[in-house]
């Protein structure tokens, strides 16, 4: 029919019948027909762990199927019922019209399955269960029950042949049938038992299986093959149960056995040949649920609690060292990992990151069972895993870890995770939430007298304040952090704080100080071997070069940043570098190339769900479209960025977007009417922008806004008011030494003096000529090229005499600053 409804297939049968394997294979076979696939382990019938709550199942599905990340990071503290209701609505809305494949493994609760069936979607839902599940009558799906029967004689014989080590003995139908009956025709039991054929004949296998008496068929086969193994292999199998359901590799096995990886690999291979562990891919293995339950029982019976705890601690410590060394290759010797061990044999950064990609789900699972383990080891592992989550943008897992630490700890672990959660909130553009979280973390570290942690949190808070446009407060917090980062152990942290402070001072117009800070920061990042820190320092240097008008230098710095972001797999950083490279094309006068580059960057920011990166990209895209003459499109992009900055409460971004939106709106209306007399909306935008810049102390933005207001006022015959605005702009430019902006303030004043001088036109003209001559004599390298032509042309106009009846002529003659005039700050640096 035409109705959009999902199809639900319930595969039910006894443990060991292969229902999960069949469901996964079916999902794989039809993957081309659907736009996503996801498996959720509902843990419906496990003796060793409780069933998965519906809330957690919904969060897992939303994460795997691409829901907005802020829904996955911030776990509401409302009642469980309210959370499930909200998440269910979000889940149904997200999957409306989206066909996906979902495997709900080990289900027991029909109502829970009903809650996880998407509505208004052509999805396929494969449910595995021990018994048939009668879903409620209101389930909006076609439901099919598929019982999984025991294998018949032919099927059992085929499986035994496939798993046997050696099938050279004569065919023995009677013994094969006996093995099938002893294994109840269950694929898992037959596979485990069949691996014994070779050292045993089929007849011997049947006899040995029968010797275990009336026990469960799967347990019978497991006991047989467990007893066949060496003591080392049996010990490994028992301890592998500590790893949970996630796949694992030789490193985990080596830690559990307290041996080297070569020996661990040999034992894993032996267990795999015996059918006791499932080979996943490469060198990764996983325990079947029934095997894990068997192994846990053997662990409890055959090992002392102290031995189990020691194995668990070795596992956590080993993974802490390995994960920490991977992140150290990215972030260098921060205080969280100063003086740690080397790269643990990783051949390259890429190989190290691939290893952490493979292991991250296992690590999270291992942390859930870390009772009694040294807090230092858990803290190291948590820190590295949280940094990995931030690097990869895996905020779902970061939310999981945050919940985990809140449930079990109120000390250093919680502070460490909360700090990173605040950073993640900032990356999502949730700046108010980030500020609240980080302010709280600063207080917690201060109460604990943990200076390194307090300084790191202050740095993150300063960056958040910068993103909110609170530049004065941001600088104060960052300098407070620097005052605490004076020990050798915090040198790596200091590098990050320095480049963050440099970005703030750049936006405040203090370019010389910004350059010094960035030079020191880059040296510290190199010293602490922080590839990621180098990337961000080069990125900030690129923006500083653009402010100085040095496009080739900016290109070099931004491409250096892009290279390092690529090597550390930082997709978010790559998108930011692409934005600034697009801006560089704009500053260079290549508007069409800028439009193309900025549109690509905006797409990358959307993929990363980086709202702030997207907003700034639209801001520059609006300016690039203005340069190409597409004013309607320019206004749309600038208004889009203005809305986004307003939503995230970024006052600096909002002021900049208002400023340029006003300029383009003014020019658009002037082109339609031939005058500046219809600039009321543009003027109001400029007034609001000036208030924004005043509030956060950005003299550069306020000064240019004053000049744009002066142009509008002069075009509307408010000449005295325009003259006053030019004077205010000149003072603001002088406050931070911007000669380029000061030139334009002085020139516009000269164009207004003949019309607005208190002494009359003749006096005003004479003063204007004198000031123009002085302006012409004081040339400097940062002067806008357009201004030199304007000074010369307006001087000739004054010599011929001013026609008062014609009114102010600078706008009509094009003698006003254009968009490019504001791109460069005419501020001296140590280099110049």
């Amino acid at each position: 029919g035409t109705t959009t409804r999902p199809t639900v297939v319930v595969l039910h049968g006894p443990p060991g019948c292969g229902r999960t394997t069949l469901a996964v294979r079916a999902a794989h076979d039809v993957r081309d027909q659907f736009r996503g696939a996801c498996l959720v382990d509902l843990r419906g019938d496990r003796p060793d762990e409780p069933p998965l709550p519906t809330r957690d199942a919904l969060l897992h599905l939303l994460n795997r199927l691409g829901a907005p990340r802020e829904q996955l990071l911030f776990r509401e503290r409302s009642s469980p019922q309210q959370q499930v209701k909200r998440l269910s609505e979000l889940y149904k809305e997200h999957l409306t019209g989206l066909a996906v494949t979902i495997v709900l493994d080990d289900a027991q609760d029909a109502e829970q399955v009903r809650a996880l069936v998407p509505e208004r979607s052509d999805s396929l839902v494969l449910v595995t269960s021990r018994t048939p599940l009668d879903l409620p009558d209101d389930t909006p799906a076609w439901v099919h029950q598929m019982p999984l029967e025991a294998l018949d004689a032919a099927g059992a014989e085929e499986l035994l042949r496939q798993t046997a080590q050696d099938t050279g003995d004569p065919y023995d139908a009677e013994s094969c049938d006996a093995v099938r009956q002893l294994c109840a025709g269950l694929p898992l039991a037959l596979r485990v038992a069949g691996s014994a054929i070779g050292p045993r004949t089929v007849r011997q296998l049947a006899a040995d299986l029968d010797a275990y008496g009336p026990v469960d068929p799967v347990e019978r086969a497991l006991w047989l093959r467990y007893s066949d193994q060496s003591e080392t292999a049996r010990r490994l199998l028992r301890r592998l149960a500590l790893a949970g359901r996630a796949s694992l590799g030789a490193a985990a096995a080596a830690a559990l056995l307290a041996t080297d990886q070569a020996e661990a690999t040999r034992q894993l291979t032996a267990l795999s040949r015996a059918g006791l562990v499932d080979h996943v891919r490469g060198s990764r293995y996983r325990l079947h649920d029934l095997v894990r339950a068997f192994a846990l029982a053997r662990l409890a019976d055959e090992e002392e609690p102290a031995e189990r705890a020691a194995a668990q601690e070795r596992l956590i410590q080993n993974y802490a060292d390995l994960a920490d060394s991977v992140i150290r290759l990215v972030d260098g010797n921060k205080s969280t990992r100063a003086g740690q061990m080397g790269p643990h044999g990783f051949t390259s950064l890429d190989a190290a990151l691939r290893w952490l990609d493979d292991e991250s789900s296992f690590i999270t699972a291992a942390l859930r069972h870390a009772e009694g383990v040294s807090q230092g080891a858990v803290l190291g592992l948590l820190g590295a895993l949280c940094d990995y989550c931030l690097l990869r943008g895996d905020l779902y897992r970061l939310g999981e870890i945050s919940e985990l630490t809140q449930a079990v700890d109120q000390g250093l672990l919680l502070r460490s995770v909360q700090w990173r959660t605040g950073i993640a909130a900032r990356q999502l553009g949730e700046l108010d939430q980030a500020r609240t979280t980080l302010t709280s973390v600063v207080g917690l570290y201060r109460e604990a007298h943990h200076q390194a942690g307090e300084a790191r949190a202050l740095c993150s808070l300063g960056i958040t304040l910068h993103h909110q446009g609170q530049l004065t407060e941001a600088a104060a917090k960052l300098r407070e952090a620097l005052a605490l980062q004076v020990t050798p152990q915090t040198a790596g942290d200091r590098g990050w704080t320095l480049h963050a402070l440099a970005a703030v001072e750049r936006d405040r117009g203090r370019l010389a100080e910004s350059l010094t800070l960035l030079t020191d920061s880059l040296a510290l990042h190199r010293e602490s071997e922080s590839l990621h820190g180098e990337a961000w320092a080069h990125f900030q240097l690129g923006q500083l070069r653009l402010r100085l008008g040095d496009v080739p230098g900016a290109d070099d710095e931004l491409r250096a940043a892009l290279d390092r972001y690529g090597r550390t797999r930082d997709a978010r950083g790559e998108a930011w570098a692409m934005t600034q490279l697009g801006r560089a094309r704009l500053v260079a006068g290549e508007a069409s190339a800028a439009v193309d580059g900025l549109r690509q960057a905006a797409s990358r920011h959307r993929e990363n769900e980086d709202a702030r990166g997207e907003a700034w990209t639209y801001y520059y895209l609006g300016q690039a479209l203005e340069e190409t003459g597409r004013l309607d499109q320019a206004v749309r992009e600038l208004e889009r960025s203005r809305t986004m900055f307003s939503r995230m409460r970024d006052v600096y971004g909002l002021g900049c977007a208002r400023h340029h939106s006003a300029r383009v709106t003014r020019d658009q209306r002037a082109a339609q009417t031939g005058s500046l007399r219809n600039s009321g909306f543009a003027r109001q935008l400029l007034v609001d922008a000036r208030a924004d810049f005043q509030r956060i102390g950005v003299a550069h933005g306020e000064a240019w806004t004053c000049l744009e207001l002066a142009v509008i006022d002069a075009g509307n015959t408010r000449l005295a008011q325009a003259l006053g605005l030019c004077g205010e702009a000149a003072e603001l430019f002088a406050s931070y030494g911007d000669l380029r902006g000061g030139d334009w303030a002085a020139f516009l004043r000269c164009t207004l003096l003949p019309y607005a001088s208190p002494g009359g036109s003749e006096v005003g003209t004479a003063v204007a000529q004198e000031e123009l001559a002085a302006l012409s004599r004081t040339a400097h390298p940062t002067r806008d090229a357009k201004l030199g032509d304007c000074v010369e042309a307006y001087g000739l106009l004054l010599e011929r005499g001013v026609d008062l009846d014609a009114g102010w002529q600078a706008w009509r003659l094009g003698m006003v600053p254009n968009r490019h005039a504001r791109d460069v700050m005419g501020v001296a640096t140590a280099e110049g």
Side-chain angles (χ1 to χ4, degrees), residues 189-500:
L190 287 166
R191 192 169 69 245
V192 173
S195 68
I197 298 174
R200 289 180 176 87
T201 64
V202 179
R203 182 176 297 277
Q204 287 173 321
L205 175 60
D208 289 347
L209 285 170
D210 189 47
Y212 283 96
V215 297
D216 177 88
V218 173
E219 188 175 358
R220 184 197 307 277
L222 291 174
W223 265 115
L224 176 75
R225 296 303 281 141
Y226 176 73
S227 301
D228 289 344
Q229 306 307 305
S230 67
E231 173 52 35
T232 303
R234 289 199 298 269
R235 187 184 308 120
L236 176 58
L237 181 67
R238 294 192 297 266
R239 293 177 180 179
L240 286 176
L242 295 170
R245 201 177 192 229
S247 66
L248 51 90
L256 290 167
L257 282 177
T259 188
D260 58 52
Q261 290 198 26
E263 174 63 15
T265 301
R266 283 193 294 274
Q267 299 304 332
L268 279 172
T269 303
L271 291 173
S272 178
R273 282 198 302 264
L276 296 171
V277 299
D278 296 332
H279 182 236
V280 180
R281 66 184 182 281
S283 59
R284 303 195 64 73
Y285 299 85
R286 178 186 287 121
L287 289 183
H288 187 283
D289 293 339
L290 295 180
V291 179
R292 187 169 66 256
F294 175 84
L296 274 174
R298 304 287 68 70
L299 185 68
D301 288 347
E302 300 177 28
E303 294 199 32
E304 295 297 325
E307 292 178 323
R308 297 199 298 268
Q312 183 78 9
E313 182 152 336
R314 282 197 306 275
L315 180 67
I316 295 293
Q317 184 63 60
N318 179 265
Y319 270 81
D321 290 344
L322 285 165
D324 194 79
S325 73
V326 175
I327 297 300
R328 185 183 178 279
L329 290 172
V330 176
D331 278 349
N333 262 332
K334 283 187 173 181
S335 62
T336 48
R337 51 188 56 89
Q340 293 293 319
M341 300 164 67
H344 285 268
F346 292 117
T347 56
S348 67
L349 174 59
D350 193 54
L353 286 169
R354 274 201 309 275
W355 175 85
L356 195 48
D357 284 340
D358 286 339
E359 297 290 347
S360 60
S361 60
F362 167 78
I363 292 171
T364 308
L367 282 168
R368 293 188 178 279
H369 306 283
E371 296 88 352
V373 176
S374 159
Q375 191 184 57
V378 175
L379 179 62
L381 184 51
L382 266 177
L385 187 56
C386 288
D387 286 341
Y388 165 84
C389 292
L390 288 174
L391 180 66
R392 281 287 183 273
D394 187 355
L395 303 191
Y396 166 72
R397 185 163 292 146
L398 186 59
E400 270 192 316
I401 297 169
S402 179
E403 281 192 329
L404 179 64
T405 55
Q406 287 176 32
V408 303
D409 176 74
Q410 293 297 318
L412 196 57
L413 299 183
L414 182 59
R415 291 193 290 273
S416 177
V417 175
Q418 278 187 328
W419 166 48
R420 279 131 170 144
T421 304
I423 296 171
R426 185 180 71 230
Q427 290 182 0
L428 285 171
E430 300 287 342
L431 300 182
D432 282 345
Q433 183 141 5
R435 180 176 182 173
T436 300
T437 301
L438 292 168
T439 301
S440 169
V441 173
V442 169
L444 290 171
Y445 275 120
R446 190 168 288 158
E447 289 172 11
H449 305 290
H450 191 295
Q451 284 198 346
E454 181 186 348
R456 291 194 305 268
L458 279 167
C459 176
S460 298
L461 178 58
I463 295 170
T464 303
L465 290 166
H466 180 199
H467 289 188
Q468 288 189 306
Q470 307 295 337
L471 303 187
T472 304
E473 291 180 56
K477 295 297 181 187
L478 291 166
R479 291 186 188 281
E480 197 176 337
L482 286 175
L484 296 172
Q485 293 168 337
V486 292
T487 64
Q489 291 77 17
T490 56
D493 295 358
R494 186 176 178 85
W496 288 82
T497 308
L498 285 171
H499 80 234

Side-chain angles (χ1 to χ4, degrees), residues 44 68 128 571 708 740:
T128 73
E708 299 296 353
R740 182 186 179 95

